[in-house]
Amino acid sequence: MANDSVILEKKGAALWITINRPEKRNAMNGDIIAGIANGYRMAHEDAGVRVIVLTGAGEKAFCAGADLANAGAAFSMDFSKPNGDLADLMRLSQNATKPAIARVNGVCMAGGMGLLCMTDMAVAADHVIFGLPEVKVGVFPMQVLALLQSIAPRRLVNEWCITGEPFDAQTALGAGLLNHVVPAAELDSKVDWLISRITDKSPTAIRRGKYAMRAIAAMSFDESIAYTESQIAILSMTEDAKEGLKAFGEKRKPVWPGK
């Protein structure tokens, strides 16, 4: 399936969501946000999809942030609505129970950093430049902070947000924003490798595991240990858990029923 601004393509067990505005450095507008949200929903409605890949078209940009060609539109809001579209997309991504990988093929700035932080894992080409330059146009990466603050060290987040200065892929890797940095020519093979390491595992374990990770994020230790001991008991009763243990005993690869 495709539209003008976001391409949705199923490749094996992966649903690829590609921002398709390379001439605008894949800058976000309302159609982009809606298209990505549609991709997340489609992935969760299709039992054959095991992983989401989020990327940008072309070689220059993953996403350069909000489209500032019409600055009034970029930062306009309907104040009668309690929720904004980008914030709702972030909510959708954090409640997702299928894993998502960011394939960072080019510049990742401002709102693009928010898209990066939405995902569970990220692979970037070694030439990619990152940044939160909002202060240069009189605003601040408010919504990005909701996700970024739990991923990168506070001192680095402070510097990125307050100075607005860009940083490179190795800095992003060291800060925990990325899982892997590879030469551009190896980007797709590394993403494919990561997909393969997900799709041969239990879909039920991943689905319930992601749900639990989300649930315990704001819990104390006492709350989270009580919650997770009940969750492992429930998980042990699933068909995937039974198949996994049986396959282990029979020294063969499991055939996951996904239940």
Side-chain angles (χ1 to χ4, degrees):
M1 293 182 62
N3 59 40
D4 290 340
S5 56
V6 176
I7 298 170
L8 304 179
E9 183 181 7
K10 190 174 177 181
K11 301 179 182 180
L15 181 72
W16 284 59
I17 304 173
T18 304
I19 304 169
N20 189 36
R21 298 184 78 206
E23 75 286 356
K24 297 288 188 180
R25 299 204 306 166
N26 294 321
M28 278 192 292
N29 57 20
D31 288 342
I32 296 291
I33 294 171
I36 295 172
N38 187 40
Y40 266 80
R41 295 187 188 100
M42 181 181 296
H44 282 74
E45 290 169 359
D46 187 341
V49 172
R50 297 287 312 285
V51 59
I52 297 164
V53 178
L54 178 60
T55 191
E59 300 177 355
K60 294 183 178 180
F62 171 71
C63 175
D67 188 346
L68 299 181
N70 184 343
F75 298 113
S76 65
M77 290 189 68
D78 179 353
F79 292 105
S80 69
K81 294 171 57 180
N83 297 352
D85 291 340
L86 179 58
D88 277 346
L89 173 60
M90 290 182 172
R91 292 181 180 99
L92 177 65
S93 72
Q94 297 312 286
N95 288 320
T97 56
K98 292 188 179 181
I101 300 168
R103 174 190 175 273
V104 189
N105 52 305
V107 65
C108 180
M109 294 279 176
M113 289 276 286
L115 298 183
L116 168 64
C117 292
M118 280 181 4
T119 59
D120 300 290
M121 290 160 270
V123 182
D126 57 10
H127 69 275
V128 173
I129 299 299
F130 300 80
L132 293 165
E134 283 88 340
V135 290
K136 297 179 181 180
V137 294
V139 289
F140 206 78
M142 297 293 188
Q143 294 170 107
V144 177
L145 277 173
L147 296 174
L148 181 63
Q149 66 175 352
S150 64
I151 298 175
R154 180 62 181 267
R155 292 288 188 180
L156 285 177
V157 173
N158 290 349
E159 180 180 345
W160 297 341
C161 293
I162 294 170
T163 70
E165 291 301 306
F167 54 96
D168 62 18
Q170 287 300 325
T171 300
L173 179 67
L177 284 176
L178 305 172
N179 296 84
H180 305 281
V181 172
V182 296
E186 299 175 16
L187 183 60
D188 284 335
S189 62
K190 193 64 177 180
V191 171
D192 288 343
W193 173 85
L194 194 53
I195 291 170
S196 71
R197 299 282 67 76
I198 295 170
T199 55
D200 67 345
K201 307 306 188 305
S202 162
T204 300
I206 292 172
R207 184 167 56 245
R208 293 199 63 93
K210 272 184 57 63
Y211 183 88
M213 290 169 75
R214 167 75 166 147
I216 69 172
M219 292 182 185
S220 68
F221 168 76
D222 287 335
E223 291 168 331
S224 62
I225 197 65
Y227 178 81
T228 52
E229 67 181 343
S230 66
Q231 289 300 301
I232 192 63
I234 294 170
L235 189 56
S236 69
M237 294 186 287
T238 66
E239 294 302 314
D240 271 19
K242 294 173 184 177
E243 165 62 9
L245 291 171
K246 184 179 180 182
F248 180 81
E250 296 174 356
K251 296 182 173 57
R252 59 172 175 82
K253 289 184 178 180
V255 180
W256 304 115
K259 298 180 180 179

